[in-house]
Amino acid sequence: MFLRILIGLALALLLIYGLVKAYPLLSGPAIHLDSPAAYATLPDGFVTVSGTALRTATLTLNSGVLLIDENGRFSPSLTLPSGDAILSLTARDRFGRAVSESRVVHIP
């Protein structure tokens, strides 16, 4: 009886460990934008797009590849012309799953 309980506990611990290690593979990529704020007005046309990309193989900003550090942080600086601009970030993981995040900014 004690051996069965011990084996069952060991199998349960292995299952929990497997689920914890598989979570990044199952959950897919994620983007968290710190700046710019949605519908922000940028009087000088200069913007720094900063945030974190998690579980990401590639990250693009308006179809241009961005570099991310080992913690997933990114912060490219852009100079935008007058008018409204849409900043579209797309993160892809190694399995081809993608997630996108967009911000609209206004430059007077």
Side-chain angles (χ1 to χ4, degrees):
M1 181 72 171
F2 178 72
L3 185 61
R4 287 184 182 175
I5 292 173
L6 189 61
I7 291 172
L9 183 62
L11 289 175
L13 288 174
L14 282 173
L15 178 65
I16 292 170
Y17 177 77
L19 289 174
V20 167
K21 290 298 182 180
Y23 176 75
L25 297 175
L26 298 174
S27 61
I31 301 173
H32 301 287
L33 274 175
D34 298 331
S35 70
Y39 304 104
T41 299
L42 309 167
D44 57 358
F46 184 75
V47 62
T48 298
V49 181
S50 64
T52 307
L54 303 173
R55 301 174 299 275
T56 301
T58 60
L59 180 66
T60 58
L61 173 61
N62 294 348
S63 299
V65 177
L66 290 181
L67 298 175
I68 57 176
D69 67 11
E70 63 274 355
N71 297 321
R73 303 280 309 156
F74 58 90
S75 60
S77 297
L78 306 170
T79 303
L80 301 172
S82 296
D84 290 337
I86 300 173
L87 304 172
S88 179
L89 286 140
T90 303
R92 288 191 182 278
D93 67 2
R94 62 184 177 175
F95 302 110
R97 295 178 293 191
V99 64
S100 296
E101 184 78 30
S102 297
R103 291 285 196 269
V104 177
V105 295
H106 177 73
I107 297 88

